[in-house]
Amino acid sequence: MARRTKKLVIYTDGACSGNPGPGGWGALMLYAGREKELYGGEPDSTNNRMEMLAAIKALESLKPGYAGEIELWTDSKYLKDGITKWIVGWKQRGWKKADKKPVLNMDLWKRLDAVVQGKTIDWLWVKGHAGDPGNERADALANKGVPRRKD
């Protein structure tokens, strides 16, 4: 009988009230019938930074040495393409884009690059605000993380 492997499924999303503005990130983690919700925010950020931070925080929350398969869903093509396509060239060029300008959000790209090392991650894109239950929950968590002004 074939051994059944369990896969960790993560949905991430970012939100910003203004861009830049107060931002939130959220992650829904699903594994073997269990769920974990993570969210947080920053008073001054951008949507792209929050999308990245959602993935970073979710992956950083794993136990050290976690080696299981991960399926990470994002509605951010910036995040998905950055980590699966562009990052190789950026690193080869000393964290510069093809036009020789510095990579935007370099601090988070370096942090994400470090946290993915040694992990098997299938980066998947999902259309945002289209009814996908995992994406909708991650979106709600991201919005929950947006710091609210105290008037």
Side-chain angles (χ1 to χ4, degrees), residues 74-116:
T74 177
D75 61 10
S76 169
K77 289 186 178 180
Y78 174 73
L79 171 60
K80 182 183 179 292
D81 289 347
I83 195 64
T84 62
K85 298 176 186 175
W86 308 331
I87 199 166
V88 173
W90 292 340
K91 288 165 58 173
Q92 289 172 345
R93 291 186 294 271
W95 293 98
K96 302 259 193 267
K97 298 185 293 182
D99 64 5
K100 308 281 191 258
K101 292 180 182 172
V103 171
L104 296 175
N105 304 309
M106 186 186 331
D107 60 326
L108 294 182
W109 284 116
K110 286 181 176 181
R111 191 167 157 193
L112 183 59
D113 185 45
V115 77
V116 301

